[in-house]
Amino acid sequence: MTVMIEKPSTTTRSRDPKELLNAVRDRIEHLTVNVLDDGMSVWDREVALLLRDEVDTRETAERILGNAVMYMIASMENPEVHIGVGKIVDKGVHQVILDTPVYFAFCDLYNGGRYKHHAPFIQRRTDGMVIRTADFLRSCGFSPDEELWAKDGADCSPCDSKVPDSH
């Protein structure tokens, strides 16, 4: 099977994952007392949640979250392109999705208000999809963390591209 990856024609103005995530703040409508009342930025909130549940250092949490945001934006900007993440970056994707008020706002801002499903297959792909995804992110103007993407290299947790609006 051949996977064609082309450079996207439309993109957001910023390519900074921290700015992209913080930009959803004004669109958060649900459970704002939980999400907004602590005075933290959206970025700092998601990093704190990753530190609570998944990773040991802030630096690692920020690296994972930044790459997750890149992946999510690229998948929303390019729904026709099949991309996937490895286990490490997927922790950040899951973090944002699990914080549903933030994820709903993210979808509102970057996916035209449509909810973007996350529908992974059980079986991981081992065909280099993770490395191709990192290459695709670069073509979208992002700077993916080479170490994070190379660690999982060919071990991808793919989503079903046939599911409408899924990544």
Side-chain angles (χ1 to χ4, degrees), residues 56-153:
D56 295 330
T57 68
R58 182 172 180 92
E59 176 192 6
T60 301
E62 288 187 337
R63 290 170 62 200
I64 290 170
L65 182 59
N67 282 267
V69 169
M70 291 177 210
Y71 165 77
M72 291 166 57
I73 293 285
S75 73
M76 289 178 180
E77 289 177 347
N78 304 279
E80 74 288 351
V81 178
H82 191 76
I83 57 178
V85 295
K87 294 176 188 178
I88 296 169
V89 174
D90 209 22
K91 290 178 182 182
V93 172
H94 291 167
Q95 177 49 59
V96 175
I97 290 172
L98 287 173
D99 199 355
T100 58
V102 171
Y103 187 57
F104 278 32
F106 196 92
C107 290
D108 185 49
L109 184 59
Y110 299 116
N111 202 40
R114 295 174 316 276
Y115 183 78
K116 181 89 165 169
H117 294 281
H118 183 59
F121 287 115
I122 301 298
Q123 189 67 33
R124 291 187 178 278
R125 288 174 60 163
T126 57
D127 63 356
M129 176 64 79
V130 175
I131 296 300
R132 287 194 305 276
T133 297
D135 292 340
F136 182 68
L137 295 178
R138 275 188 289 286
S139 80
C140 294
F142 289 114
S143 299
D145 185 312
E146 300 299 328
E147 183 181 11
L148 292 182
W149 291 89
K151 261 186 187 172
D152 290 321

Side-chain angles (χ1 to χ4, degrees), residues 21-33:
L21 187 56
N22 282 333
V24 307
R25 182 178 183 86
D26 291 340
R27 295 199 184 217
I28 296 172
E29 298 177 6
H30 307 284
L31 301 171
T32 56
V33 89

Side-chain angles (χ1 to χ4, degrees), residues 9 26 153 157 161:
S9 59
D26 291 340
S157 55
S161 62

